[in-house]
């Protein structure tokens, strides 16, 4: 594909869906290429089902409507990719922000206009607040609430019907001017795009302000089967749900110089090396990296865990999973986690130990219990255990969805696997995480690794399994896993969710996770 073709397709996507995540744009661009789209004329032959592997139904309908309208424009109907840059110019002329847009777009223009010209009322902020902003300090929570109140009041003067997109644009402006004071950041690490918690506060204030004028009982909007992703065939739905946080979820081509035969040879060599006690780790890493294409193909085709364990034994070893996870997400699994624990772990523990104990009696009881279990033990590994257990208590999520406790002498074949959750789970060989010196990993009720000596390694492998094997976070662990994902594994997609689908609608960033992130950012702490 030439640069001109890439620009042609990417521009066509961006002009209609500018807020689409870059990864989704990549997938959609590849989809259009595979369909054979070469000119604007070709758009009129695309059907909605062609796009459902990359887009939600409403998004697909929106782009189809826009593209087919462009096909009716004389200057685009005869244009081709290689002919001239004309398609780009004509596309700009019917951009949603254009004043000569269609009637459907023109109805959006007042909404867009007020946000584009909206001025943040900095002059109305209290002196104390402006001093904090100008000096790059985080404003006190009460000052931040006052700031939000003033901004929302000004927004509602401009337009009484404020969408979430409006709030996002306003939050972006505020954070861009004073990033040190307003960004979602912990120990120098920006969480997500950095403005989610401010958007959440703006939205909450807007809802509160409108509450007095909104009827208490509203008839719910009727939802049809077409309004959800259930209409997408399972094999296509995976491409939407499982690519969250991934940069190479589904490779289209084999690595240069590789053939199906050479991939098979390398796989067989890895299986042989797995039988050895002194396999060369560097060679294993190289072979795992070179066969990543085949690994992804097999897991995306729905091969079960037992099959993958038999065919790719190193994939379920810490060494092999590190390689696959890095290729899949672009992030070093254990390396990133341990670095972030060093940066943020003490602040989190300090906050949980000093602030949260005063907010919740149940949490205080859990903290006391864990302190007794920990005893005099010290060290980074013990801190991580306490951190994870306290996070589960803070979010009031189920410990047995992450840990299964067995006798310390228990062998893999002796684990009562039918009582273990289907999702990745750490089998703790001992009465508690603190007393255990051996851990196992279960995925899909199969013990895939029976001797993990380190809790940190077990936690990283448990987390990595969700991504490597296309597994959704269980709703019982939704907040804990997303907090670990964002703050300690540095996976921060702007949109989408890794949580299993339930009847409850979910925001792109869990609001409970956002609250903890914001509280941590505001927390004044000292070493204790």
């Amino acid at each position: 594909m030439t640069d001109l073709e890439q620009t042609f397709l990417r521009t066509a996507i961006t002009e209609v869906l500018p807020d689409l995540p870059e990864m989704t744009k990549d997938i959609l661009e590849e989809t259009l290429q595979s369909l054979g789209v070469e000119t604007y004329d070709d758009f009129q032959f695309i059907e909605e089902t062609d796009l459902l592997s990359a887009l939600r139904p409403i998004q697909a309908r929106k782009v189809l409507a826009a593209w087919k309208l462009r096909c009716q424009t004389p200057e685009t109907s005869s244009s081709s990719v290689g002919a001239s840059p004309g398609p780009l110019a004509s596309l700009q002329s019917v951009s949603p922000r254009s004043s000569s847009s269609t009637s459907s777009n023109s109805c959006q223009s007042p909404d867009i206009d007020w946000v584009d010209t909206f001025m943040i009322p900095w002059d109305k902020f209290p002196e104390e607040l402006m001093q904090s902003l100008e000096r790059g300090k985080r404003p006190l929570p009460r000052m931040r609430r006052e700031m939000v109140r003033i901004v929302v009041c000004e927004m509602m003067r401009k337009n009484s019907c404020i969408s979430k997109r409006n709030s996002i644009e306003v939050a972006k402006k505020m954070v861009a001017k004073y990033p040190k004071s307003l960004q979602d950041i912990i120990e120098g690490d920006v969480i997500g795009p950095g403005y989610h918690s401010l958007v959440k506060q703006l939205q909450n204030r807007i809802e509160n302000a409108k509450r007095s004028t909104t009827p208490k009982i509203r008839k719910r909007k009727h939802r049809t089967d077409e309004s959800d992703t259930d209409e997408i065939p399972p094999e296509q739905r995976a491409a939407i749900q499982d690519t969250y946080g991934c940069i190479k979820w589904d490779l289209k081509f084999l690595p240069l110089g590789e053939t199906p035969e050479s991939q098979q040879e390398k796989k067989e060599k890895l299986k042989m090396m797995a039988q050895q006690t002194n396999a060369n780790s560097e060679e294993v890493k190289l072979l795992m990296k070179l066969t990543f294409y085949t690994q992804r193909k097999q897991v995306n085709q729905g091969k079960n865990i037992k099959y993958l364990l038999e065919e790719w034994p190193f994939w379920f070893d810490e060494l092999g999973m590190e390689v696959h996870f890095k290729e899949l997400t672009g992030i070093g699994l254990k390396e990133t986690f341990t670095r972030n624990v060093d940066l943020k772990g003490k602040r989190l523990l300090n906050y949980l130990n000093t602030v949260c104990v005063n907010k919740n009696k149940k949490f205080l009881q859990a903290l006391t219990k864990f302190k007794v279990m920990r005893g005099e033990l010290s060290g980074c590994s013990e801190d991580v255990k306490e951190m994870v257990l306290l996070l589960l208590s803070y979010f009031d999520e189920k410990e047995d969805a992450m840990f299964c406790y067995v006798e310390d002498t228990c062998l893999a074949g002796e684990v009562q696997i039918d009582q273990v959750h289907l999702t990745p789970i750490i089998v703790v060989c001992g009465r508690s995480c603190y007393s255990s010196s051996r851990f196992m990993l279960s995925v899909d009720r199969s013990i895939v690794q029976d001797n993990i000596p380190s809790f940190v390694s077990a936690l990283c492998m448990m987390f990595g399994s969700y991504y490597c094997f296309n597994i959704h976070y269980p709703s019982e662990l939704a907040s804990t896993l997303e907090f670990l994902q964002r703050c300690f594994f540095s996976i921060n997609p702007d949109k989408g969710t890794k949580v299993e689908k339930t009847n409850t609608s979910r925001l792109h960033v869990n609001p409970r996770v956002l609250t903890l992130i914001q509280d941590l950012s505001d927390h004044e702490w000292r070493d204790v």
Side-chain angles (χ1 to χ4, degrees), residues 55 143 150 165 174 196 427 458 472 496 510:
L55 299 175
M143 297 306 302
I150 294 169
R165 184 172 179 180
M174 296 173 69
H196 271 314
V427 179
H472 301 170
N510 186 316

Side-chain angles (χ1 to χ4, degrees), residues 12-24:
I13 296 165
T14 302
E15 286 296 326
V16 184
L17 295 175
D19 293 331
L20 205 62
E22 291 303 312
M23 182 184 69
T24 308

Side-chain angles (χ1 to χ4, degrees), residues 3 36 69 133 156 198 266 318 322 370 406 420 503 507:
D3 289 343
L69 180 67
L133 296 177
M156 295 189 79
L198 185 54
K266 289 180 175 65
E318 186 176 7
E322 283 268 1
F370 297 143
V406 298
V420 176
N503 292 330
L507 302 174

Side-chain angles (χ1 to χ4, degrees), residues 56 164 168 196-197 199-201 203-204 207 244 473 478-479 482 485-486 493-500 502-515:
R56 295 173 71 86
K164 185 177 180 182
I168 290 173
H196 271 314
S197 67
V199 172
K200 178 191 168 190
Q201 281 189 285
Q203 288 291 103
N204 288 344
E207 289 301 316
Y244 177 82
Y473 299 158
S479 299
E482 183 169 339
Q485 165 210 311
R486 291 186 179 277
D494 288 350
K495 295 187 178 180
T497 179
K498 186 73 172 167
V499 183
E500 64 183 345
T502 64
N503 292 330
T504 305
S505 62
R506 294 192 179 273
L507 302 174
H508 294 309
V509 182
N510 186 316
R512 299 187 70 198
V513 171
L514 270 181
T515 299

